[in-house]
DNA sequence: TGTACATCAGTGAACGCGCGTTCACTGATGTAC
DNA sequence: TGTACATCAGTGAACGCGCGTTCACTGATGTAC
């Protein structure tokens, strides 16, 4: 084991510990010493890798963006939001993204409440998501409001629903209900 | 000025100062000494009225519940959610409630991120809201999912929309867009 | 290949800042007689 | 109505806890010769 490997290992262990703690007790309630303890390292070790808890979160965010090539999959499929299947695909992929990165998303939301910088980052993330599928709305003839507003409502439901434990709903049921609600809301047609 | 009046005055001033600060810099970023400074009192004065910042928030919450007889108005109107006007009425009254109590609602949301107790209180508040209009759904024949799920989606959009600065949207435009989206989502009919 | 030194990841006790909370004190209001 | 004492709202300096952050130290890995 050489030095770089060792450092990378510790950094990875710290990140993993942080994610675990963020998921259980939340970002704001997690102390740096909690993270190092959970990771089985000394407190001082943290600062070899991150200047602060914020910076660690930024690293998690960067990881997420790297993986976040949900986009790659998106290219393969229909942008026609007048088709329920297209709506479902987006709902499902966004839902899956949220579930998979629940810890980081929760941390990001909490950090946004306290830190102006993260508030901007989070808002940028949402805007980016929306921009990516903005053109999908051009297939819809009877939107409920301005395109930006319509998109915002679509994401508002999914987001809020994913944030909550969303009750005791199974993933498929949540996706199905969201798809119907959103499809109808956007198109003004039954489904 | 007798003693009770004086104390009540100070308490009111503290609450008002707290609300102002919560609205601008948020609950979590507001220190107790910030509140007393904003209120023009000494730091120690705070503890004559509240045992902690949490308790102050509970007091604000109690005030809100007392005023929150949005319900009173609700009795006067139609529970038939197959009628767009009925949906609009609820959207508008909930929207108005949020705007009016934005500071307290924001504080409550932030406190929920950090404090288990407030998380329960907030969740109870939502459940209560939903329970109040649960029967309105019986007028709807083609719900997008289980009634609880459908209601949850309805509130999810409004909530999330109200929380954001909701962009640069005027109140009426937001209400109109939400009404259409939700009416369609619930009923599967155009409007 | 071996030796001497440099560098680096990790350690954990100690330091110190921010802020919640306390408390002795003040002056005003209330009460007893 | 007046005097003496009690109580209370408010004050602000001081205290102390929690936790982020530092830093001298250790042992291992890397480098020079």
């Amino acid at each position: 084991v050489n030095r770089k490997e060792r450092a990378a290992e510790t950094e990875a262990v710290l990140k993993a510990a942080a994610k675990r703690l963020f998921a259980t007790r939340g970002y704001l309630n997690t102390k740096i010493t909690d993270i190092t303890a959970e990771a089985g390292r000394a407190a001082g070790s943290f600062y070899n890798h991150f200047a602060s808890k914020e910076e660690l979160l930024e690293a998690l965010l960067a990881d997420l963006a790297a993986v976040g090539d949900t986009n790659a999959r998106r290219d393969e499929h229909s942008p026609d939001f007048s088709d329920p299947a297209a709506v479902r695909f987006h709902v499902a992929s966004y839902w899956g993204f949220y579930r998979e990165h629940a810890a980081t998303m929760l941390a990001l939301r909490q950090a946004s409440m306290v830190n102006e910088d993260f508030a901007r980052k989070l808002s940028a993330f949402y805007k980016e998501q929306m921009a990516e599928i903005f053109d999908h709305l051009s297939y819809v003839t009877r939107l409920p409001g301005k395109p930006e507003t319509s998109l915002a409502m679509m994401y508002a439901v999914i987001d809020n629903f994913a944030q909550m434990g969303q009750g005791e709903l199974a993933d498929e049921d949540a996706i199905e209900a969201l798809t119907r609600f959103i499809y109808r809301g956007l198109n003004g047609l039954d489904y």
Side-chain angles (χ1 to χ4, degrees), chain A:
Chain A
V1 260
N2 64 18
R3 282 174 176 167
K4 278 189 185 173
E5 283 167 8
R6 200 176 167 214
E9 161 74 5
T10 295
E11 185 166 319
V13 169
L14 285 171
K15 279 193 203 170
K19 277 209 248 179
R20 249 175 287 133
L21 293 174
F22 291 171
T24 55
R25 72 182 67 168
Y27 173 80
L28 296 173
N29 280 334
T30 299
K31 311 303 164 196
I32 287 180
T33 48
D34 294 339
I35 298 173
T36 51
E38 170 85 11
R41 309 289 149 128
S45 185
F46 186 89
Y47 297 91
N48 282 339
H49 304 280
F50 312 100
S52 62
K53 197 166 64 161
E54 285 80 35
E55 207 174 85
L56 183 155
L57 180 53
E58 292 201 44
L60 291 180
L61 198 56
D63 291 355
L64 179 151
V67 179
D69 295 326
T70 339
N71 317 342
R73 285 188 293 163
R74 276 185 190 157
D75 293 338
E76 310 166 9
H77 97 292
S78 167
D80 179 0
F81 267 10
S82 68
D83 175 5
V87 173
R88 174 178 292 105
F89 180 90
H90 276 89
V91 169
S93 86
Y94 197 59
W95 184 268
F97 177 84
Y98 245 100
R99 300 235 106 192
E100 191 174 353
H101 302 103
T104 304
M105 292 307 287
L106 172 65
L108 198 50
R109 224 174 314 125
Q110 294 198 347
S112 298
M113 313 254 73
V114 152
N115 184 305
E116 187 60 33
D117 210 47
F118 279 113
R120 271 193 297 273
K121 281 201 170 68
L122 185 56
S123 154
F125 171 79
Y126 286 135
K127 288 218 180 83
E128 200 182 323
Q129 294 299 313
M130 294 193 203
E132 259 174 35
I133 64 166
F134 189 80
D135 62 306
H136 294 30
L137 294 184
S138 61
Y139 297 83
V140 178
T141 51
R142 303 178 57 77
L143 285 173
K146 287 190 298 180
E148 303 80 28
T149 309
S150 304
L151 252 189
M153 291 190 290
M154 167 174 176
Y155 275 105
V157 218
I158 305 179
D159 232 66
N160 207 331
F161 229 59
Q163 283 176 27
M164 311 287 186
Q166 32 73 39
E168 308 73 15
L169 224 47
D171 281 4
E172 318 89 61
D173 295 339
I175 290 170
E176 180 61 20
L178 284 169
T179 299
R180 295 184 75 189
F181 192 77
I182 291 169
Y183 176 81
R184 291 161 159 206
L186 293 179
N187 289 275
L189 296 171
D190 191 10
Y191 155 62

